[in-house]
Amino acid sequence: MMDSWRRAALAAIVGGILAWPLAAISQAPAFPDKPIRLIVPYPPGGSTDPAARLLAADLGPRLSQTVIVENKPGAAGAIGTEAVVRAPADGYTLLFHTSVIATDPTLKKNASYDIKRDLASVTLAVTGPYLMVVNPALPVRSVAELIAYAKAHPGKLNFGSAGQGSSGHLIGELFKKAAGIEMVHVAYKGGGPSITGLVGNEVQLVFDTFGGSKALVESGKLRAIAVTSPNRSDLMPNVPTVSESGLKDFSAVYWLGVFAPAKTPAPVIDKLYSGLKASLESPAVKARMQEQGNVVQALPPREFAKTLDEDIQRYKSIIESAKITVD
């Protein structure tokens, strides 16, 4: 009799212990139950910020929460990146970065974070070409003419970029090597200042996004001579690719993607990806992204991580070949 009572009591205690975690899980609030921050490691404006705001505005209602875009510029993207790395791994702080983040392992060896160790890939959002733009005072209208001019005037052709080690700098170095020419790199503090420098003829060439220079090309203040993607852009179908202009197989595109802190739970990553994919593939967002020169990709986490790995190696090769360093 006593043994039966003890067995029943023990079973009740064990059952309660086992049921407690399940009850705790069932009572946990569903993600997300508060606003999400989307960190952009660049100032407002430019080409990254508008895409982030467009995506956040559509994603919020899909997740039934507000998605707040927060600009944290500085140190070539390192300040905003570190803010996400140090945030709790709960999905409420995300990073919206460009493909230039793939240069961090090579250029920022002393950084307090490691993008492979400290960030989780959520989705590659969009890709896009660079527009090769020159000052109209430069007597060239094609890539072939630019190469001929550079060879005839060694050391006289300057190309600008958003900064040392920026994507525009790296593409310029890649172009120099492919074309067999010399150009002088001028590093500005941001994409906007580099375009201002180009309009003012401080530099003669810049590799820029469509969002940054398309309007200036249309107004005649700049001249577009090529796009760096494998195919022409629908935004400027009359502008040839670098590849078809004589440098066969030359290709360089950027991407914008979303990251979360490492160790963010897989179900949270999956829910974020599902929401982001739905937003990116919605007709309204896709059309607006295309107006900015972006092509929607919406790659899932694993494929995005693979793309990042490939770009880390690709940029490492360019950086080491050109002996690029940053302070």
Side-chain angles (χ1 to χ4, degrees):
M1 182 77 173
M2 182 64 67
D3 288 343
S4 297
W5 180 84
R6 286 175 177 171
R7 284 196 295 270
L10 181 60
I13 293 171
V14 170
I17 292 173
L18 293 175
W20 180 80
L22 297 176
I25 292 172
S26 65
Q27 293 171 7
F31 175 85
D33 69 332
K34 61 181 180 181
I36 294 171
R37 292 192 304 155
L38 184 61
I39 305 295
V40 175
Y42 301 106
S47 58
T48 308
D49 183 70
R53 294 183 184 279
L54 174 60
L55 188 55
D58 188 90
L59 178 63
R62 294 181 189 277
L63 297 179
S64 299
Q65 279 297 336
T66 302
V67 179
I68 303 168
V69 174
E70 187 174 329
N71 299 91
K72 283 188 173 292
I79 291 176
T81 300
E82 185 167 9
V84 176
V85 165
R86 304 302 173 208
D90 54 12
Y92 289 101
T93 305
L94 305 175
L95 176 68
F96 192 72
H97 212 316
T98 71
S99 48
V100 77
I101 195 175
T103 67
D104 281 12
T106 306
L107 287 178
K108 299 176 182 174
K109 295 184 182 296
N110 296 323
S112 61
Y113 59 84
D114 180 318
I115 62 170
K116 292 293 296 175
R117 180 194 65 210
D118 298 326
L119 290 174
S121 299
V122 180
T123 186
L124 185 154
V126 298
T127 64
Y130 296 94
L131 192 61
M132 198 170 172
V133 286
V134 300
N135 185 286
L138 190 69
V140 305
R141 293 185 175 275
S142 68
V143 170
E145 290 181 0
L146 178 75
I147 294 173
Y149 180 90
K151 290 181 176 179
H153 303 82
K156 300 296 183 181
L157 188 62
N158 301 322
F159 79 99
S161 80
Q164 185 79 355
S166 65
S167 57
H169 181 193
L170 298 182
I171 302 310
E173 295 294 344
L174 187 65
F175 179 79
K176 280 170 55 177
K177 185 175 181 179
I181 61 174
E182 287 300 320
M183 297 190 297
V184 178
H185 174 239
V186 179
Y188 289 87
K189 294 182 178 179
S194 73
I195 292 299
T196 299
L198 180 62
V199 172
N201 206 24
E202 295 174 351
V203 293
Q204 291 73 53
L205 168 67
V206 168
F207 293 85
D208 193 30
T209 62
F210 273 80
S213 56
K214 179 174 178 287
L216 291 169
V217 170
E218 293 172 340
S219 68
K221 292 181 179 179
L222 296 178
R223 178 184 298 142
I225 62 173
V227 293
T228 62
S229 50
N231 302 305
R232 296 192 183 198
S233 169
D234 291 338
L235 288 180
M236 288 187 171
N238 294 326
V239 178
T241 67
V242 175
S243 180
E244 69 181 288
S245 299
L247 295 184
K248 187 174 174 58
D249 298 327
F250 184 95
S251 177
V253 297
Y254 66 83
W255 48 255
L256 304 175
V258 180
F259 299 87
K263 299 182 180 179
T264 299
V268 172
I269 294 287
D270 291 342
K271 186 161 187 178
L272 287 169
Y273 169 66
S274 295
L276 286 162
K277 184 175 186 293
S279 287
L280 288 163
E281 294 181 348
S282 69
V285 171
K286 183 178 287 190
R288 289 285 305 281
M289 286 292 189
Q290 288 174 340
E291 290 173 5
Q292 296 175 9
N294 299 317
V295 178
V296 169
Q297 292 288 329
L299 290 185
R302 187 169 297 179
E303 291 184 37
F304 181 26
K306 182 180 178 182
T307 297
L308 177 63
D309 287 340
E310 292 171 349
D311 277 0
I312 287 173
Q313 295 306 313
R314 180 167 181 259
Y315 284 135
K316 180 180 180 181
S317 176
I318 299 171
I319 290 165
E320 292 179 345
S321 176
K323 296 181 173 58
I324 297 172
T325 60
V326 296
D327 296 332

